[in-house]
Amino acid sequence: MLTDDFDPLQGKMLSILDKDGKVNEALEPRIEDAKLLHAYKTMVLTRIADDKAVRLQRQGRLGAYPPSRGQEASQVGPALALEKGDWLVWAFRELGALLLRGVPLWRLYLYWMGNEEGSVLEGDVSLTPSAVPVGSQLPHAVGISYAMKYRKESNVVLCYFGDGATSEGDFHEGLNFAGTMRTPVIFLCQNNQYAISMPRKLQTAAPTLAQKACAYGFKGIQVDGNDLLALYAATEEAVARARKGEGPTLIESFTYRMGDHTTSDDATKYRLAEETAYWSARDPISRFRVYLERKNLWDEKREKEWSEEAARVVEEEVRKAETHAPPALDDAFAHTFATMPEGLREQLEFMRRDLPAKREG
Ligand SMILES: Cc1ncc(C[n+]2csc(CCOP(=O)(O)OP(=O)(O)O)c2C)c(N)n1
């Protein structure tokens, strides 16, 4: 079992594809070709869609946006292990996972354009809306997984969050309940090594984040987060355990955020160029491409076709988002409470009464 062989307390990290794309055959997971190609094409689409979002923000066509560059394998690999009926609970930097599960890109663009309709997400698994308050999605994920256990369903919840979330109370409360109730949840920590400008080593004195699982009585594993095969293998095993009623797993995906925290950030203020260059040489997409080439699933001609198709899809999805009806003014008040509290209702009335006049004036 991978979680036994790669104990984070012994300082062992699971890696299957090395930085040059060479595979460790003893650990290589069996994944059918169609699934491998779906994963690769989704990573390519994610990068193109992500770069486009940054450019749209620069042009004033989209609000603040958190780039995914460098984290494509960390997002796509775990989501590849889900099946229909499972839940995907996410934070805000999981574009690749959402695209893999069939969420329409234009909806996600709409969300970052500030339209609440961008939170109406449909894919081939069940989805929560984004959770920007750091760590707040963990208790929700555990609650959903407890409901599954209570109903004797065999589905699982995959819950993404960042290294910064491990300092929130919600992280510890979530893991504690999941451990005591042995719920079918996989905690996927995308350790991109920074919470905005806060480096991982100031987040916790523990050598790894994966080892925190030990304190809650379940398995944890640290995985090379730029290695799609390792992420898939670790998640697939965790999913199988959860479906059998053997409880939660914490997976630490050790990756790197290549870009800024969001379009409001400037990472050159707190990171050295040498560090970013080191991680550029470990790009998750080019590493996986070499693996596919060795399996005769990739060549230059196909790459050109796929990236041109992805670029075409991205332009079309931007068009859909930009031609979508703008949100009604009331929308900013509509989706938080089932019954609107008095103070909020007063503000709504104030806005309805005074804003049109102010706009005209
Ligand atoms: C409860 C809370 N505190 C602070 C913030 C401001 N904030 C937004 S993202 C972020 C860092 C999150 O870091 P991490 O969990 O590692 O995820 P990453 O952004 O690196 O993907 C912070 C502090 C917030 N959104 N919510």
Side-chain angles (χ1 to χ4, degrees):
M1 194 172 276
L2 292 171
T3 40
D4 295 332
D5 295 343
F6 294 88
D7 181 354
L9 286 172
Q10 308 292 325
K12 288 193 182 165
M13 177 165 79
L14 172 66
S15 175
I16 299 179
L17 271 184
D18 75 8
K19 80 171 182 46
D20 301 314
K22 194 164 163 298
V23 69
N24 177 339
E25 284 170 12
L27 295 173
E28 184 180 4
R30 284 207 198 113
I31 309 177
E32 64 263 35
D33 292 353
K35 209 164 167 174
L36 289 173
L37 289 177
H38 181 42
Y40 180 73
K41 288 191 210 170
T42 305
M43 288 205 281
V44 170
L45 175 64
T46 303
R47 181 144 312 173
I48 294 173
D50 192 60
D51 287 348
K52 181 74 184 182
V54 174
R55 288 201 302 281
L56 289 173
Q57 190 279 336
R58 299 296 185 231
Q59 294 165 3
R61 293 157 70 187
L62 189 134
Y65 175 79
S68 283
R69 179 176 274 262
Q71 294 182 226
E72 293 88 351
S74 178
Q75 300 173 1
V76 168
L80 201 60
L82 293 182
E83 283 171 17
K84 208 171 174 332
D86 294 335
W87 276 77
L88 195 161
V89 177
W90 57 297
F92 47 82
R93 201 188 305 279
E94 282 85 14
L95 176 64
L98 300 173
L99 292 177
L100 185 92
R101 301 310 333 183
V103 175
L105 176 58
W106 68 269
R107 282 268 179 206
L108 301 169
Y109 281 151
L110 206 59
Y111 173 77
W112 296 111
M113 288 172 181
N115 190 327
E116 269 314 318
E117 281 191 56
S119 291
V120 183
L121 300 181
E122 276 175 27
D124 62 4
V125 292
S126 300
L127 294 140
T128 45
S130 82
V132 174
V134 172
S136 58
Q137 73 278 25
L138 277 95
H140 301 157
V142 177
I144 296 167
S145 66
Y146 181 59
M148 285 168 171
K149 181 172 174 159
Y150 185 78
R151 292 175 175 172
K152 300 193 173 20
E153 293 169 358
S154 64
N155 299 114
V156 303
V157 180
L158 174 63
C159 175
Y160 288 88
F161 53 94
D163 42 298
T166 64
S167 294
E168 291 287 348
D170 282 342
F171 169 82
H172 300 281
E173 290 152 19
L175 267 71
N176 193 47
F177 274 114
T180 53
M181 299 188 295
R182 287 170 76 85
T183 69
V185 55
I186 295 93
F187 297 105
L188 197 291
C189 179
Q190 291 205 73
N191 172 10
N192 64 12
Q193 305 186 48
Y194 288 89
I196 314 187
S197 53
M198 168 79 77
R200 208 303 269 144
K201 65 174 186 299
L202 297 182
Q203 202 70 246
T204 173
T208 70
L209 299 173
Q211 72 192 72
K212 289 177 184 280
C214 305
Y216 298 106
F218 54 86
K219 290 179 186 284
I221 183 168
Q222 190 185 45
V223 177
D224 179 339
N226 287 11
D227 172 353
L228 184 119
L229 295 184
L231 285 154
Y232 176 77
T235 314
E236 190 198 30
E237 189 180 284
V239 164
R241 254 202 320 272
R243 288 200 207 287
K244 278 191 286 182
E246 293 172 17
T249 306
L250 170 62
I251 300 173
E252 174 187 353
S253 170
F254 183 70
T255 181
Y256 190 77
R257 161 166 62 73
M258 293 295 300
D260 294 325
H261 168 70
T262 65
T263 44
S264 311
D265 175 43
D266 176 3
T268 63
K269 297 272 187 256
Y270 54 86
R271 299 196 306 203
L272 295 173
E274 290 80 356
E275 184 183 289
T276 316
Y278 172 90
W279 284 96
S280 291
R282 282 153 183 79
D283 188 294
I285 300 185
S286 41
R287 196 189 295 195
F288 192 49
R289 184 184 301 146
V290 174
Y291 173 70
L292 293 182
E293 190 175 15
R294 292 206 178 116
K295 289 176 82 77
N296 286 323
L297 293 172
W298 184 95
D299 56 43
E300 295 281 357
K301 188 168 159 286
R302 278 182 274 190
E303 175 73 21
K304 189 165 176 291
E305 276 169 27
W306 296 336
S307 50
E308 282 174 2
E309 172 61 9
R312 195 195 58 71
V313 167
V314 166
E315 290 306 320
E316 177 58 18
E317 298 293 293
V318 172
R319 193 194 61 74
K320 277 192 206 158
E322 290 193 322
T323 52
H324 195 78
L329 277 179
D330 289 13
D331 228 35
F333 295 82
H335 304 287
T336 309
F337 298 97
T339 312
M340 204 178 284
E342 185 56 26
L344 203 56
R345 210 166 44 74
E346 277 171 18
Q347 290 177 37
L348 174 63
E349 278 160 19
F350 174 80
M351 185 199 70
R352 280 182 182 154
R353 201 176 50 237
D354 290 4
L355 205 67
K358 279 213 175 88
R359 279 190 167 174
E360 278 157 26

